[in-house]
Amino acid sequence: MNGKNIPEIFGTNVFNDKVMRERLPKEAYDAVKRAMAGAEPLSHDHAKVIASVMKDWAIEKGATHFTHWFQPMTGITAEKHDSFIEKFGECEAIMKFSEKSLVKGESDASSFPSGGLRATFEARGYTAWDPTSYAFVKDGSLYIPTAFCSYSGEALDKKTPLLRSMEAFNKQALRILRLFGNDKVKKVTPTVGAEQEYFLIDKSVYEKRLDLVHCGRTLFGAPPSKGQELEDHYYGAIKSKVSAFMKDLDEELWKLGVYAKTKHNEVAPSQHELAPIFTSTNTASDHNQLTMELLKSVANRHGLVCLLHEKPFASVSGSGKHNNWSVSTDTGENLLEPGDTPNKNAQFLLFLVAVIKAVDEYQDLLRISVATAGNDHRLGASEAPPAIISIYLGEELDEILRSIESGEEYSAKQKTELKIGVSVLPPIPKDSTDRNRTSPFAFTGNKFEFRMVGSSANIACPNFILNAIVAEELRVFADRLEGATDFNAELDLLIKDTIRNHKRILFSGNNYSKEWEKEAKERGLLNLKTTVDALPHYTERKNVELFERHKILSENEIHSRMEILLENYSNIVHIEALTAIDIARKEITPAVIGYQSFLLKEINYKKRSKIGLSRVLEREVVRKIASLSEKFSYALDRLIHDTNNFNSSTSNLEKAKYCKDKLLVDMEKVRKYADEMEVLIGRDFSTFPTYEDILYSVKY
Ligand code: ADP
Ligand code: MG
């Protein structure tokens, strides 16, 4: 592969606009474009033509099967492959793909989490083609991106609310643009570029760690003697094995139309990052799911394993997925671009304060949007954003908002007069924001970077919530401004009011500090430390009203989502507890006993030798291990006891609380003693690879 070939291979496995334009009859092409714009559903006749053309194209690309590709609440994608073959006569087969197979699929929903929706509705589930995300060929199958819903239309997946939120956002944002006299824009689309962090380790060490295999994170392991202190990995030269993997991955992604753009080493040893060029939140979300799948499968081909867990190694930096969110118009404008004409700045300011108000009023939803058992280990740890939500705007915007609120003149470097109005804002230089790495929600020039998203998350969730909460504020603003007799005066007042009422969410200091935790509390900001603390807020009245008003989720669907997320949390922690017990019994205990008995034999041997050999070292080590092993044993008993009682809680919330307060705490204790013993035990007596072995497993 060289640079010249990239444009040639880019998107070759995608049934994209170019392919459709070339292959579809004009009428069918126009129909599909209208369907993509949400203007009009596809007719049967057009769908029939499209299915047939799509099938021929897919077969040319080597496909024998097709699958509806969907994103159930399990967090990973689901697929069921059917071949194109149909019976022809008695003993022949032909390749067929009907309009029905393209547009709608039926699948048994009972094996996917529904959070109670199933109790009242049929188990049948439907997948419905999402024409706004292109179909593609992968591993001999035609993949058709679909939404997944129940018999009566309830969303059972992550894509449906995302699509609904994009529609809601479009509607409200257009109202605002019209108020500013903009009649040209027909469509407003929230966009996202998700920077994906991951670890890459050697397969041979991975296979010896049951915790990594079962849970994606280590449940035991003392910190390595060389960690990330030297800061020599971030942006460091990429090892040749990793580089070969990255090249292969880029190529696969490009063929699938994913704009993989940036790759580099991250902070921790064996940690890396991949960032694509941003697209619409729907496409970006599908592409990120694909990226995660390919990270794993390409790694496998290279004898490597890609870890997407948020915190695979305690005391080592975890992995996130910075969610760079902004808003594009179909006329190519970024509505969060500060711009250089005063008119645009007033509009920018309105969108800016809409985001500020949204984040302040829906802190709980944003926290929920990233809440998983895995991400709890990362949020609040010293290298990751805290669980407290705040916004960093950068010095210049901070100053501007302050001057607007106080009515004082804004004095930038180039002294400029500032009133809000439509007329007099100074141009804001592009690099008006410095970086604040500790902020969970930072304005970075012309987009917001939501940094709390976990590395394994499906970004559909944070993005449907972001779209929803900002859409709601735009609605409130539009209502007020549409009714105003003096638009400029009302706009002025609205921006001022919003800054005054929501400035508590702005914070530019160190988010990792203890002082901030205190100050945030005084400001009345939420600090929902764990998933279990956050999830019950999902069903709060204001949140139900928000989602119902914009037809993004019904109350039923919200309840079901909360239940699924709670259940998922408990299941993860329960599996971790069982795995920890298994490792403690079958690997750590034999290693401890084996080493102790080796030392005791040595002591006896020296004692018998009668030449006065010192036994101090052996005795010291035996004594230390004996004392720790006793504590370890008690802690393990407690973990076993509490794990056995896992099923005694009745509700999902109670069960999740039990996991947080008992199982996780018990596991921490067992781990503490195990890790303290690990450093005392001879290398040959341990069966599993240490942190050192894992983190430096890819050597060249
Ligand atoms: P930074 O250096 O601030 O992290 P980059 O330019 O490297 O910024 O971009 C990081 C990510 O943000 C990339 O995935 C990029 O495509 C994305 N991004 C840039 N502009 C936008 C935008 N307008 N909307 C959404 N994402 C964007
Ligand atoms: Mg970034």
Side-chain angles (χ1 to χ4, degrees):
M1 163 73 36
N2 66 48
K4 276 199 217 136
N5 302 126
I6 298 172
E8 276 164 39
I9 64 148
F10 190 85
T12 43
N13 290 340
V14 186
F15 194 73
N16 55 21
D17 189 64
K18 185 164 166 271
V19 178
M20 287 195 272
R21 213 173 336 115
E22 280 167 13
R23 298 197 172 215
L24 290 175
K26 169 114 182 37
E27 272 178 32
Y29 174 75
D30 290 343
V32 92
K33 293 301 277 185
R34 283 198 299 277
M36 285 175 80
E40 190 184 302
L42 268 183
S43 71
H44 289 285
D45 288 343
H46 286 139
K48 214 167 170 170
V49 175
I50 294 163
S52 162
V53 171
M54 210 187 244
K55 176 208 66 184
D56 291 341
W57 170 84
I59 290 173
E60 279 170 35
K61 295 280 165 198
T64 51
H65 289 66
F66 67 92
T67 178
H68 277 200
W69 187 63
F70 57 105
Q71 302 172 21
M73 295 297 294
T74 50
I76 48 172
T77 50
E79 47 195 72
K80 181 187 104 200
H81 303 257
D82 282 307
S83 72
F84 289 120
I85 68 165
E86 298 254 324
K87 238 175 115 195
F88 186 67
E90 270 314 297
C91 50
E92 284 176 73
I94 50 162
M95 301 297 259
K96 264 198 136 157
F97 185 48
S98 69
E99 156 257 331
K100 231 178 108 212
S101 306
L102 166 64
V103 173
K104 190 170 126 184
E106 205 179 317
S107 78
D108 184 359
S110 61
S111 309
F112 294 102
S114 83
L117 286 178
R118 228 172 22 242
T120 37
F121 303 96
E122 277 199 49
R124 238 185 294 193
Y126 292 98
T127 48
W129 178 32
D130 164 21
T132 62
S133 180
Y134 297 130
F136 55 91
V137 167
K138 182 167 86 74
D139 302 328
S141 279
L142 168 67
Y143 281 71
I144 301 150
T146 57
F148 181 47
C149 61
S150 74
Y151 182 67
S152 41
E154 264 104 354
L156 294 175
D157 69 347
K158 309 219 173 191
K159 185 190 264 278
T160 306
L162 180 63
L163 290 172
R164 292 176 184 163
S165 75
M166 288 170 75
E167 274 183 31
F169 192 94
N170 176 48
K171 190 171 152 195
Q172 303 305 333
L174 281 177
R175 287 177 69 196
I176 299 287
L177 293 185
R178 298 291 180 258
L179 282 165
F180 280 90
N182 186 333
D183 291 324
K184 291 213 181 69
V185 172
K186 298 274 177 301
K187 193 154 184 221
V188 178
T189 308
T191 53
V192 82
E195 302 165 59
Q196 176 75 50
E197 291 179 343
Y198 60 93
F199 279 86
L200 209 55
I201 62 171
D202 201 87
K203 206 191 280 182
S204 62
V205 288
Y206 170 81
E207 281 166 352
K208 291 192 196 122
R209 293 286 309 216
L210 194 67
D211 44 5
L212 284 178
V213 173
H214 279 187
C215 314
R217 74 176 181 108
T218 52
L219 303 172
F220 296 99
S225 42
K226 178 178 187 282
Q228 58 201 54
E229 306 82 3
L230 296 180
E231 298 178 338
D232 55 354
H233 194 255
Y234 191 59
Y235 282 13
I238 299 171
K239 288 173 181 151
S240 63
K241 202 164 177 186
V242 176
S243 171
F245 155 84
M246 286 176 165
K247 276 201 183 108
D248 211 2
L249 176 69
D250 276 341
E251 201 172 318
E252 297 264 328
L253 288 170
W254 290 333
K255 281 191 207 155
L256 288 170
V258 178
Y259 286 93
K261 173 89 175 160
T262 311
K263 52 189 181 186
H264 61 80
N265 285 352
E266 257 302 325
V267 173
S270 83
Q271 193 184 30
H272 314 278
E273 182 182 295
L274 181 154
I277 299 173
F278 68 96
T279 60
S280 84
T281 46
N282 183 34
T283 301
S285 159
D286 283 359
H287 281 181
N288 184 250
Q289 289 296 115
L290 263 181
T291 302
M292 289 196 288
E293 276 176 34
L294 286 174
L295 275 165
K296 290 201 170 263
S297 62
V298 175
N300 185 42
R301 287 211 300 266
H302 287 253
L304 300 166
V305 174
C306 172
L307 303 176
L308 291 172
H309 194 284
E310 284 74 18
K311 195 77 178 173
F313 307 100
S315 82
V316 174
S317 275
S319 300
K321 184 142 54 190
H322 293 174
N323 193 84
N324 296 273
W325 183 91
S326 193
V327 183
S328 288
T329 66
D330 57 350
T331 52
E333 202 185 334
N334 175 351
L335 297 179
L336 289 178
E337 174 67 56
D340 47 22
T341 61
N343 274 21
K344 273 186 190 154
N345 280 342
Q347 182 185 296
F348 159 75
L349 274 179
L350 191 65
F351 276 92
L352 180 73
V353 296
V355 176
I356 292 172
K357 183 165 186 275
V359 173
D360 186 27
E361 288 180 343
Y362 298 99
Q363 296 163 48
D364 51 354
L365 284 182
L366 282 174
R367 175 65 183 89
I368 286 166
S369 80
V370 298
T372 59
N375 213 17
D376 280 0
H377 297 287
R378 173 177 165 261
L379 298 179
S382 61
E383 90 290 344
I388 306 166
I389 314 250
S390 68
I391 300 179
Y392 172 77
L393 289 180
E395 209 179 315
E396 184 145 18
L397 280 182
D398 267 345
E399 239 352 279
I400 289 176
L401 294 197
R402 239 194 309 276
S403 70
I404 292 171
E405 191 202 351
S406 64
E408 282 164 22
E409 274 190 17
Y410 169 67
S411 50
K413 277 161 231 146
Q414 72 289 37
K415 212 164 180 305
T416 326
E417 208 186 349
L418 181 119
K419 280 183 249 139
I420 309 163
V422 220
S423 45
V424 278
L425 288 185
I428 299 158
K430 239 194 162 146
D431 57 351
S432 63
T433 56
D434 190 13
R435 290 175 181 267
N436 179 332
R437 286 278 163 211
T438 69
S439 175
F441 203 94
F443 187 72
T444 48
N446 57 7
K447 60 189 190 292
F448 277 99
E449 186 167 340
F450 183 30
R451 303 206 178 105
M452 292 170 87
V453 182
S455 49
S456 71
N458 181 324
I459 59 166
C461 186
N463 286 296
F464 95 69
I465 286 182
L466 261 170
N467 297 345
I469 63 179
V470 180
E472 168 61 8
E473 306 306 353
L474 296 176
R475 179 194 71 84
V476 173
F477 287 3
D479 281 355
R480 182 164 160 188
L481 293 172
E482 281 167 1
T485 40
D486 181 343
F487 173 72
N488 283 348
E490 194 63 25
L491 176 66
D492 218 88
L493 206 60
L494 173 58
I495 295 178
K496 224 176 235 176
D497 283 352
T498 311
I499 297 170
R500 186 171 310 122
N501 295 335
H502 300 285
K503 63 181 175 191
R504 65 169 186 169
I505 199 76
L506 303 177
F507 179 64
S508 38
N510 178 6
N511 282 260
Y512 299 164
S513 70
K514 277 272 157 252
E515 295 77 46
W516 169 234
E517 218 178 311
K518 231 179 104 222
E519 188 184 331
K521 199 169 171 196
E522 282 159 18
R523 291 192 192 188
L525 300 181
L526 288 173
N527 185 2
L528 302 169
K529 290 197 167 154
T530 70
T531 297
V532 186
D533 302 316
L535 285 175
H537 289 261
Y538 219 155
T539 52
E540 267 184 22
R541 209 59 246 154
K542 72 173 174 77
N543 297 336
V544 172
E545 275 169 16
L546 160 78
F547 289 126
E548 291 213 311
R549 176 176 292 125
H550 295 277
K551 301 194 169 48
I552 294 169
L553 289 175
S554 68
E555 184 156 13
N556 237 338
E557 289 170 328
I558 298 167
H559 274 277
S560 96
R561 252 148 235 267
M562 185 182 71
E563 294 298 327
I564 291 168
L565 292 169
L566 284 168
E567 205 178 345
N568 190 19
Y569 174 89
S570 303
N571 287 339
I572 287 170
V573 178
H574 187 221
I575 292 169
E576 287 181 348
L578 292 171
T579 307
I581 293 170
D582 215 31
I583 294 174
R585 277 173 165 164
K586 297 194 182 127
E587 302 195 49
I588 296 171
T589 301
V592 170
I593 294 174
Y595 192 51
Q596 266 180 317
S597 94
F598 164 76
L599 291 172
L600 288 170
K601 271 190 208 133
E602 275 298 298
I603 292 171
N604 269 335
Y605 176 73
K606 283 187 177 174
K607 209 158 146 189
R608 268 186 279 125
S609 76
K610 301 218 166 60
I611 51 171
L613 295 171
S614 165
R615 305 184 293 272
V616 172
L617 180 62
E618 293 87 337
R619 281 230 264 335
E620 262 317 294
V621 180
V622 167
R623 224 195 319 271
K624 277 187 192 139
I625 294 179
S627 147
L628 287 168
S629 69
E630 188 182 354
K631 291 177 189 150
F632 171 77
S633 174
Y634 288 134
L636 181 57
D637 278 350
R638 168 104 329 244
L639 174 62
I640 293 168
H641 173 268
D642 289 341
T643 305
N644 285 340
N645 286 337
F646 169 73
N647 279 317
S648 57
S649 338
T650 47
S651 73
N652 282 329
L653 180 59
E654 235 180 86
K655 213 176 221 177
K657 278 189 181 146
Y658 184 85
C659 286
K660 169 171 89 83
D661 296 333
K662 295 267 189 202
L663 301 191
L664 281 174
V665 176
D666 293 347
M667 277 158 64
E668 261 320 295
K669 282 214 179 97
V670 175
R671 177 186 189 141
K672 176 177 159 18
Y673 300 124
D675 291 357
E676 284 176 27
M677 289 193 289
E678 182 195 306
V679 296
L680 298 172
I681 292 172
R683 188 172 274 280
D684 294 345
F685 292 81
S686 260
T687 52
F688 59 73
T690 62
Y691 266 30
E692 204 116 25
D693 299 332
I694 306 170
L695 288 167
Y696 299 98
S697 58
V698 182
K699 293 201 169 56
Y700 311 103

